[in-house]
Structure formats: C-alpha cells, structure tokens
Amino acid sequence: MNATSANVSERSQQPPSLAISTVIFALRPSEATGRPTLWLPLVRRIRQPYLGQWALPGGPLAHSESLQDAASHNLLETTGLAPKYLEQLYAFGGLHRSVGQRLVSIVYWALVQPDEAALTRDSENVRWFRADRLEVLAFDHNEIVEYALWRLRNKMEYGSIAYHLLGERFTLAQVREVYEAVLDKQLDPANFRRQLRATPHIEPTDDYLTGTRHRPPRLYRYAGPVPDAGARQPQPARSP
Amino acid sequence: MNATSANVSERSQQPPSLAISTVIFALRPSEATGRPTLWLPLVRRIRQPYLGQWALPGGPLAHSESLQDAASHNLLETTGLAPKYLEQLYAFGGLHRSVGQRLVSIVYWALVQPDEAALTRDSENVRWFRADRLEVLAFDHNEIVEYALWRLRNKMEYGSIAYHLLGERFTLAQVREVYEAVLDKQLDPANFRRQLRATPHIEPTDDYLTGTRHRPPRLYRYAGPVPDAGARQPQPARSP
DNA sequence: TCGACTTATGGTCACTCTGACTATAAGTCA
DNA sequence: TGACTTATAGTCAGAGTGACCATAAGTCGA
C-alpha cells in the first residue's frame, strides 16, 4: 500500500467536513444602463483546493455557534457585512463537490440594503460580481448561486422580500425596478402600483423624492416583519 | 481540571456530528372515522441519548453516499420503506438539540403510497403514529415533524404532490380526501373537481371504481413528473 | 414664459378564477 | 319502486389581473 492509497483510505474513515456558506445579494447600478442589477460578493480562495479561484464566503462550523449564527458571523469576518435578511437555502452534499475531501455545505442566502453593501471592504480578495455574469467559481458554487437566484425570484413573486434590498424609504418605482431586475421582465407601472397598495405593510409617508426631472414620487416605508433569526423560513413553490 | 471539564473540553474540539433523518408521511384510515389521516413511522432509540424514546428514522452520513442516497438508504434499513417522493426539508443545527454532543441533522421528508406503507415491517422498535397525535419524541423531533407538516400543507396548496400519497389510480374524491386530511378543512366537491380537471397531468381513465353504494366514480391517473432524485426542490412560500 | 417631455397616479374594461350554490345522473339499499 | 348517496355539470356574483387611457406635476430647453 503506497502513500496515496493510504491517504485515500484514511480519508474515507474520517467524517465528511461540514462548512457554512452564504450567497449574498445586493442591488448595484449596472455600469452600462445604470439600472439596478443583482450583485454578490465573492472571496478569493487562499488555500487548496481551488486556490486563487473565487468562491462564496464561508468557513467551517464553529462548535459554539448555531448554523445561522455561523453564517452571520463568518459573513462579518470575510466581507464585513451584517445582512438583516438571512435564511437557510439548502444543504449541498454531493460526493464530488470538492477534490480531495468529502464536503457538506449548509448554504444560507442573504439580502443587504445598498447602503450596507457600500460598506463592504473591497480588497484584493473580496470583490462584488454581477450575479448574471459570473466566471467559473470554486466547488459547485456556480450551481449554488443559480439555485439561490431561483429561490430569490420565486420568493419575490410571493412574499414581501424586495424591501430588504432597498433602504428605509423608497418610491414605488424603485420597488418596481427591483422586481424588474430580479424577474428580468418589464412590469406595468400602474398595475404594479395597484398591487403594492393592496399589500399590507407598505405605508405611504408624507414625503416625496425630489431632484428628479419629473413629477416627484411619494416615498413609502416597509413596516412588515423582519424574519426571525431562528425561524425556519417558508420557501417558494412551483417547479424549478 | 477534573474529568468532566476535560471531557467537555475534548468534545468542543471535535467537529459536530452530522446525521441524516427523514420524516415519512403516509395515509392510513383513522381508527375512529375511517377517513384517511396522516401517519408517520418512528423508530425506538436503542442507545443513548434518549434511549427508549421514539425518534425519526435516521443515522450518520456514510462517506460514500450523497445526502439523498443516505436518506434513502437509511430509510430502507430502518423501516423497509423506499419512498418515490423524497426531498430535503431543512438542516437543523441548534446548539442544544442533543445532550452530550453537538449534532447537526440534515432532514429529508418523504411521501409513500398506501400499499407501500403497508409493507413496513412493524416491530417492537418501529411503529406508525398519527402525525397529529405524537408523544414527546427524542431530540427536537417534535419540532421537525411540525415543520415537515407545515411544508407538506404549504406544498399541497400549490404543487401536484397529493398523488404521491395515493396509488396508481384514484378517484377525484380520494384526492379531495387527501387535501381535506392534510389541510384539515372541508372542500366543495364540485369546485374541487373543476380545479383538478383544469390542472395538467391528471388524466381520466376509462374505468370506474365499483363496489361503492352509489354512482361509480371515474378513475384517474397521475401522469406528471416524479421529482428527480438529485434535484433541489422548489419549496412553498407564504409566511409560517 | 411656454411647450415638450418624463414619470406619477388614477381609472376603465374585458377576462379569468373562485366560492357558493343548484340541478341532474347513476348507482345501492330496504 | 322510492329513498339515499355520491358523481358530475352548470350558473352566478365578486375578486383579481393585464392592457390600456387620461390627467397631474414636475423639469428642461427654446
């Protein structure tokens, strides 16, 4: 038995490694059109495997942290972000996700507001990417991002989730732009408005957004519940 | 440092244990009314912790199995069941789920057809329970079952999932009974019929169910897709 | 200052979906 | 044969939605 097979044999005795990762979405203006688009922060791998490639922020599960806390904590360390919206996405445990080790990742997904996203410490090893223009990432992270995008779209069609991508106050047009960016289709402003005004937790304020070159739109506020940190979240239906 | 604190200290160095468990639902006639109700199989703990208490079937993640395979395989071993519908539910990783160890459970949920459920080898250590009348289970398994029930209800309101609880052919009234059992509310037969006939994948056959003491209902068949074993599944929306 | 331009906002109309309800069909059972 | 039960078809009013039109209220350039 040579060294290689011994290593393989040893590895197959060890329990699978358990990691927590997070897909973080935020809106940033497109360079080309200036319209809001989905971006996400990635970190560069500084060790094998996939050394040098971009990957979702994450790390091993600390012994003293719940899964959600681990996601939240690790996020703060690697990207400096503390998202208000954080929810479990899926547990990925395919046999060949990683090379040289059996790896199980419990993945969370998060939404951050633009001002919060701006605080990210961009660096050599942390950078934001457009969600729809990703290069080849480490592990199966492309696939994971695709699934997170699917979940985001699906959830946006039902729940009141778009507001977690916006600031404290916003115009209805801004909400519509979020929907248009995420669902990638045009929406009728008048109909969209009618629907939003019929949903609960969207309260008009007495203020208007000025500085535009047209009629000033009214500002609204989201007064609904923020998901409980410990709660398992509802997740969207329909077929993938 | 005494022995106890040494043990605690050692444990906190070890990685959390990773287990796979499954919530399995099947329909069985209620003892009282005879109407179909939700049941699930549990296994008795034969070791510490929670020795002697009932728990979800499950076990450690074998090194050579994907998560879904592990769930499926373990299920067969402990209960003899091989569900056609099997989907990931959630990863539970609270700090105090288990006593004496840090335990992370990736939980699946499954639906089995009545004929399949009848094949279960009931024994001293495997028994079916009514889902709405559970005693106190091991670990946080009561909470997990509640969440699985919530997911089942939520998913039943959208997707075509009820058929996985029925046999090859069924009457529309049987489908309605499934909905009524799961959602716990009465449904108008005529309206329910109209909706089902409008959904795809429900095909009428040329046969009728005889032996009732009234007009023989037509038999239908589900011709839709069975969820891909490897696919991440869509999951229901709305708030919990 | 005025008119063009842009987005905000309010409303209409036809169509679909849904719940409540009525009526008839086709068996069994006493 | 008639009562009884469920199956099945259809009607009707109200809610919701997409397409579309009209007016409001600003900015901007001539």
Side-chain angles (χ1 to χ4, degrees):
Chain A
M1 181 183 280
N2 60 32
T4 304
S5 66
N7 282 346
V8 167
S9 165
E10 273 170 28
R11 261 202 309 270
S12 70
Q13 304 307 327
Q14 294 169 5
S17 307
L18 182 57
I20 310 287
S21 297
T22 308
V23 183
I24 307 154
F25 292 117
L27 291 178
R28 292 192 162 194
S30 153
E31 316 92 322
T33 67
R35 308 172 63 81
T37 47
L38 278 175
W39 293 65
L40 53 90
L42 297 174
V43 300
R44 198 194 296 272
R45 296 276 303 168
I46 54 174
R47 65 182 66 176
Q48 292 292 357
Y50 302 101
L51 176 66
Q53 278 184 263
W54 294 97
L56 295 172
L61 175 62
H63 205 282
S64 61
E65 289 175 322
S66 70
L67 301 180
Q68 177 119 2
D69 288 348
S72 179
H73 175 252
N74 188 289
L75 222 54
L76 188 62
E77 271 197 347
T78 53
T79 66
L81 287 168
K84 294 196 183 98
Y85 186 92
L86 179 63
E87 181 186 315
Q88 195 180 107
L89 178 65
Y90 199 78
F92 294 83
L95 291 180
H96 307 296
R97 302 183 55 234
S98 176
V99 295
Q101 63 170 342
R102 174 70 195 282
L103 176 64
V104 174
S105 293
I106 298 176
V107 180
Y108 279 73
W109 66 294
L111 302 179
V112 301
Q113 304 180 341
D115 51 342
E116 208 175 352
L119 297 178
T120 322
R121 19 181 163 86
D122 259 76
S123 70
E124 175 76 15
N125 293 326
V126 178
R127 194 193 299 166
W128 287 80
F129 293 81
R130 271 190 65 157
D132 57 349
R133 294 181 189 171
L134 292 181
E135 53 191 89
V136 175
L137 307 182
F139 304 101
D140 53 355
H141 287 186
N142 288 90
E143 192 189 338
I144 293 178
V145 171
E146 280 310 308
Y147 182 55
L149 273 170
W150 177 84
R151 179 91 131 238
L152 169 62
R153 293 196 185 99
N154 208 322
K155 199 139 186 175
M156 184 144 318
E157 302 198 77
Y158 306 102
S160 44
I161 189 184
Y163 318 103
H164 300 290
L165 286 168
L166 293 170
E168 165 72 14
R169 300 200 297 178
F170 45 80
T171 68
L172 296 188
Q174 287 171 331
V175 182
R176 180 165 49 82
E177 282 180 321
V178 175
Y179 275 80
E180 290 180 338
V182 171
L183 302 180
D184 193 29
K185 66 177 176 190
Q186 297 286 106
L187 297 171
D188 181 278
N191 291 339
F192 186 82
R193 165 188 200 76
R194 181 179 52 191
Q195 287 187 10
L196 272 204
R197 305 228 26 176
T199 66
H201 309 312
I202 307 291
E203 299 176 349
T205 71
D206 292 334
D207 300 326
Y208 297 82
L209 178 65
T210 56
T212 63
R213 45 203 208 72
H214 52 76
R215 173 173 174 178
R218 183 184 288 272
L219 288 168
Y220 291 77
R221 175 194 305 125
Y222 175 67
V226 169
D228 177 0
R232 283 163 302 298
Q233 280 300 311
Q235 287 128 11
R238 311 288 183 217
S239 282
Chain B
M1 182 184 278
N2 60 33
T4 303
S5 66
N7 282 346
V8 167
S9 164
E10 273 171 26
R11 261 202 310 270
S12 70
Q13 304 307 326
Q14 296 167 5
S17 306
L18 182 57
I20 309 288
S21 297
T22 308
V23 183
I24 307 154
F25 292 117
L27 290 177
R28 293 193 161 194
S30 152
E31 315 93 322
T33 68
R35 306 172 65 81
T37 47
L38 278 176
W39 293 65
L40 55 88
L42 297 174
V43 299
R44 198 193 296 272
R45 295 278 301 169
I46 54 175
R47 67 182 65 177
Q48 292 292 356
Y50 301 102
L51 175 65
Q53 277 183 262
W54 294 97
L56 295 171
L61 175 61
H63 205 282
S64 60
E65 290 174 321
S66 71
L67 301 181
Q68 177 119 2
D69 288 348
S72 179
H73 175 253
N74 189 289
L75 221 54
L76 188 61
E77 270 195 349
T78 53
T79 67
L81 287 169
K84 293 194 185 100
Y85 186 91
L86 179 63
E87 181 185 314
Q88 195 179 106
L89 178 66
Y90 199 79
F92 294 83
L95 291 180
H96 307 296
R97 302 182 55 234
S98 175
V99 295
Q101 64 171 343
R102 175 72 194 281
L103 176 64
V104 174
S105 293
I106 298 177
V107 180
Y108 278 74
W109 67 294
L111 302 179
V112 301
Q113 303 180 340
D115 51 342
E116 208 176 352
L119 297 177
T120 323
R121 21 181 160 83
D122 259 75
S123 71
E124 175 75 17
N125 294 324
V126 178
R127 194 194 299 168
W128 286 80
F129 294 81
R130 273 191 64 157
D132 56 351
R133 294 182 190 170
L134 292 181
E135 52 192 88
V136 175
L137 307 182
F139 304 100
D140 52 356
H141 287 186
N142 288 90
E143 192 190 338
I144 293 178
V145 170
E146 280 309 308
Y147 182 55
L149 274 171
W150 177 84
R151 181 92 131 236
L152 170 62
R153 293 196 185 99
N154 208 321
K155 200 139 186 173
M156 185 146 314
E157 302 198 75
Y158 306 99
S160 43
I161 190 184
Y163 319 104
H164 300 290
L165 286 168
L166 294 169
E168 166 70 15
R169 301 200 296 178
F170 43 81
T171 67
L172 296 189
Q174 287 171 331
V175 181
R176 180 166 48 83
E177 282 180 320
V178 174
Y179 275 81
E180 290 181 338
V182 171
L183 302 180
D184 193 31
K185 67 177 176 189
Q186 297 288 107
L187 298 171
D188 181 278
N191 291 338
F192 186 82
R193 164 189 201 76
R194 181 179 54 194
Q195 287 188 8
L196 272 204
R197 305 230 25 180
T199 65
H201 309 313
I202 307 291
E203 299 176 349
T205 70
D206 291 334
D207 300 326
Y208 296 82
L209 178 66
T210 56
T212 62
R213 46 203 206 72
H214 52 78
R215 173 173 174 176
R218 182 184 288 271
L219 288 168
Y220 291 77
R221 176 194 305 124
Y222 175 66
V226 169
D228 178 0
R232 282 164 301 297
Q233 280 301 310
Q235 287 127 10
R238 311 289 181 216
S239 281

